[in-house]
Amino acid sequence: MKKKTILQLSLCCLLLASEASLNAQTTTLTLQLDKPGHAVSPTLYGLMTEEINHSYDGGLYAETIRNRTFQDDWNKPVFWSAKGDVSIELDRRTPLNEHLPVSLKVDVKSVSVPASLVNEGFWGFPVRPNTTYKGSFYAKARKGDRDFSVSLESKDGGRVYAKAEVTGVGTDWRKYDFTFTTAADAPVTADAQFVISTKEADTYWIDLVSLFPPTYNNTPNGNRIDIMQLLSDMKPKFLRLPGGNYLEGDFFKDRFAWKQTLGALENRPGHQAPWGYRSSDGMGLLEYLEWCEDLHIEPVLAVFAGYTLKGDHLEGKLLQPFIDEALEEIEYVIGDTNTKWGAVRAKDGHPQPFPLQYIEVGNEDWFDRSGSYHQRFAQFYNAIKAKYPQLQIISTDGKKFDIQGGAAEVEDEHYYRNASEMESDADHYDNYDRNGTKVFVGEWATREGSPTTNFNAALGDAAWMTGMERNSDIVVMASYAPLFVNVSPGAMQWKSDLIGYNTLNSYGSPSYYAQKMFNTYLGDNVIVIEGNNIPQQWQKLNARDSAEGRKPKQIPALFYVATRDSKTGTVYLKIVNTQGNAQAINIKLQGASKVVSNGQQIVLKADDPSETNTIDDPKKIVPVASPLKKVTKDFTYNAAPYSITVLQLETK
C-alpha cells in the first residue's frame, strides 16, 4: 500500500473518530416559551416565477397549441405539418392585424386524399375521457364559404378522440370558435395531435389557433388545474412576477413589455424570451394578477428598470419613459376605475384593484456592468414614492445605499448552492443588523438532482429555511427558483427545479414537500431555542474550494427552528437531520404551564439522500403524518435518518 493512501486512511479514521466523539453526547433543544421572540413575517414564504423550462407555454398556461401565431421561427412553421396534397408556408403579406404580422398560407391543391393541417402540441396533447376542450382560430379562404373539421387524434391518425365541424369560412378574416368532448372510453394519453381538415381544394390562411382543456376555476385563457393545485397546497403568501431575466430580456425589444400583454390574444404580439424560445405572452400581466387572486396571495411586482441582460441601458432623462411606464403599470394594478390604467384593467374584465405592497426595481443588478443602478434606482424610487408613498421598494443590487429622500426598504438577495454550502451557511442571517434594511431572498435553491431536486437538496433547503425562519424579522420574504420544469425531452434549460410535469401529469420534488411543510406548519412568533451538543459533520467542499486549497470545517448536522401560534398555543418545532443515523433529541418546553400529551409528527425522509421523485414515481418521497404520544414538558424524540420533521405540540 502506498504511503499516501495510508495517510489518507489515517486522516479519514481521525475525522470519523472526532465526529463520533462530538455526536456521542445527548442533544438537547430547550424551547424557551417564557421568552417572547420576534414576530414571523406574514409574507415569509412565497413563489418566484419566470418563463424558463417551459414554465408557461408548455407548462402552467393551459394553451395546448404550440406556435399558435406562427412566429416561433422566421423561416418555417415549426411544430406544424401538412398531410395530403397540401403545401404550407409563412405569409407576411397577409397578416391578421398589426400585432400578429405572420399567418400560415395553406394551399390545398386537391382532395383526392384527405387534406389536413397538423399541430404536434407541446410534446403531444392531454387527452382524458369525458373532457370538453374549447378552441378557436382565425381563418379565411380565397373563394370562401368553406368548411373545416377540427379534431384531436392519435399521432398515427388511427383514432379520433374528439371532433367538431366549423362551417362557412369566408373570404375575410374571422374568428371561429368550437368545442368538442372526448368519449367516456377515451384513453388517458398524450399520444395525440390536433388536426384541421377540409374536403375542399382552395387557398386558406390560418392564424392564432388555440385549444384549451378545462382550466383552474374554469378561467378563460387560464392555467392547468393540476399544477395550480400543487401551488395552492404550498400555502404561499406572494408571487414575485414577472420573473428575473424574463423581466429584462436580452435587448430592449425583448423585455417584458406589459402593455403588449393586455387584452385580447389577437392584440398580443409575443416576444423572444431570454431562455432560448419565444413567449406567446398568453400569460400576461392580468393573468399573473389573476393567478395571485386564485391562490389568495399578493403580487410582488418587478418593474423594468432600463437595463437589459446584454448590458444596454438608459440613464437620466432618457430613463423617464420607463419610469412613466412603471407608474402606469402600478396604476393598472391598484388604480381605481377613475384612473386611466385602472379603467383599462376594468375594460380587461377586472374592475376591482389588486392588493400590492412591494415594488422591485430591476433584477440582479449586481450584474450591472454599467455601474448605473445606483442612479437608476434613485430615479425610480423617488418617482414611485412621490405617487405611492405606501409602497415598499426593493433594491436588487445587493448593496445598502442611501437614496435622496429615503432608502431602499428591502434588498433582494439570491443564493444557488449545493447542500453542504446551504448547511454551512444556515446561520447566514443570525448576525445581520436587526434594525437594518430588510431582506427578500428572491431566488434561492439547493442545486442537486435533475430535472427536479433529490432528497439531499431537500435537506440543504430545509437547513437554509430554518435560518430564514429563525430570522424572519429580517427576512420578510423568500421564494425558491426555478419553480417549474417541463421534464419532456428538450424542454429544460435549468436543472434542479421544484415542480416537474409533462403534458399529462405533474409532481412535487422532495424540495417541494420540504417547502410545503415549512409553509403549512408556521406560527406567528419565533421561539427562542437553546441547543446543546448539536451533532456535527464535516463540510463537503465544492470543486472550486478544493482547488483553492480550502480546508473543510465542522458544521452542524442537525438544524432546527420553532414558531408558536399566539392564538392557539400550538408549537411547530422543525428538525432537519442530515445524517444517516437516527438522532435522539431531548426536547424541553421551558415556561409552558400545560402541555397536551398527544401531538403530531410530520416526517419527510429517504433511505438514501440521492433518492427523488419523478414523473413516473411522483410520490416516492412525501410527508407522512402520525400521532406523537407521551408529549411532556421534557421528552425525548428520535429524529429519523435523513429526515425533515415537524413536531406539532399543543401548549398553554
Side-chain angles (χ1 to χ4, degrees), residues 530-588:
E530 180 183 333
N532 291 299
N533 301 320
I534 303 302
Q536 302 289 297
Q537 62 183 329
W538 287 100
Q539 178 189 27
K540 298 177 180 65
L541 298 181
N542 59 34
R544 184 180 65 184
D545 289 338
S546 296
E548 292 176 353
R550 284 188 58 193
K551 302 297 183 184
K553 63 180 181 180
Q554 285 188 328
I555 62 173
L558 188 81
F559 303 86
Y560 50 87
V561 69
T563 60
R564 186 181 190 182
D565 187 318
S566 59
K567 294 181 180 179
T568 65
T570 302
V571 171
Y572 303 105
L573 173 59
K574 295 163 181 171
I575 300 171
V576 184
N577 183 12
T578 64
Q579 294 182 307
N581 53 277
Q583 181 65 47
I585 305 169
N586 179 213
I587 298 171
K588 299 178 183 291

Side-chain angles (χ1 to χ4, degrees), residues 236-347:
K237 299 301 183 184
F238 67 86
L239 173 68
R240 176 185 171 218
L241 61 93
N245 291 354
Y246 186 64
L247 170 70
E248 297 167 304
D250 286 336
F251 304 99
F252 275 94
K253 64 181 177 60
D254 300 326
R255 74 189 189 282
F256 181 75
W258 63 273
K259 292 180 183 178
Q260 296 180 24
T261 73
L262 301 178
L265 297 182
E266 60 267 27
N267 296 328
R268 304 187 193 187
H271 71 285
Q272 181 64 37
W275 291 101
Y277 57 93
R278 186 175 176 82
S279 173
S280 71
D281 283 336
M283 177 68 77
L285 178 58
L286 181 61
E287 284 76 22
Y288 280 116
L289 298 170
E290 290 178 333
W291 174 4
C292 294
E293 191 170 59
D294 281 344
L295 295 180
H296 309 291
I297 63 179
E298 292 190 8
V300 173
L301 180 65
V303 297
F304 178 71
Y307 187 90
T308 72
L309 293 171
K310 298 298 184 182
D312 294 340
H313 74 285
L314 296 171
E315 312 178 37
K317 293 181 179 180
L318 295 176
L319 192 60
Q320 191 60 46
F322 293 103
I323 296 172
D324 294 341
E325 192 172 86
L327 294 173
E328 291 169 335
E329 186 174 11
I330 295 168
E331 185 175 279
Y332 184 90
V333 177
I334 65 175
D336 62 36
T337 54
N338 293 319
T339 64
K340 175 183 176 180
W341 288 98
V344 173
R345 184 196 64 243
K347 183 180 178 182

Side-chain angles (χ1 to χ4, degrees), residues 100-220:
L100 300 181
V102 182
S103 65
L104 186 69
K105 183 179 180 180
V106 183
D107 190 7
V108 180
K109 299 181 174 87
S110 74
V111 289
S112 55
V113 294
S116 58
L117 177 66
V118 179
N119 185 257
E120 64 186 59
F122 292 95
W123 297 275
F125 285 82
V127 175
R128 291 183 173 86
N130 292 318
T131 302
T132 297
Y133 301 77
K134 297 180 180 180
S136 63
F137 58 86
Y138 283 83
K140 70 175 187 173
R142 188 183 300 279
K143 296 180 181 179
D145 195 22
R146 299 303 190 185
D147 299 334
F148 288 146
S149 64
V150 290
S151 58
L152 272 180
E153 303 178 2
S154 60
K155 288 184 178 179
D156 62 7
R159 183 171 181 182
V160 175
Y161 301 124
K163 188 175 183 178
E165 302 298 324
V166 174
T167 60
V169 175
T171 57
D172 295 320
W173 282 115
R174 181 184 149 199
K175 184 180 181 182
Y176 298 89
D177 297 299
F178 62 89
T179 61
F180 51 47
T181 303
T182 55
D185 63 348
V188 177
T189 182
D191 179 26
Q193 58 189 8
F194 176 75
V195 180
I196 303 175
S197 302
T198 183
K199 295 180 180 179
E200 299 167 302
D202 200 347
T203 299
Y204 302 90
W205 288 266
I206 307 288
D207 209 347
L208 189 51
V209 187
S210 179
L211 183 70
F212 277 81
T215 60
Y216 193 78
N217 286 346
N218 296 313
T219 302

Side-chain angles (χ1 to χ4, degrees), residues 440-495:
F440 173 27
V441 188
E443 296 181 30
W444 69 272
T446 303
R447 297 196 65 197
E448 294 187 20
S450 180
T452 51
T453 55
N454 59 27
F455 193 74
N456 202 48
L459 290 170
D461 288 342
W464 177 253
M465 282 191 286
T466 63
M468 291 195 294
E469 191 167 307
R470 180 171 59 252
N471 295 287
S472 54
D473 56 332
I474 295 170
V475 180
V476 293
M477 295 182 292
S479 49
Y480 185 103
L483 182 61
F484 296 132
V485 61
N486 189 315
V487 300
S488 303
M492 181 177 69
Q493 291 82 49
W494 182 285
K495 67 180 183 179

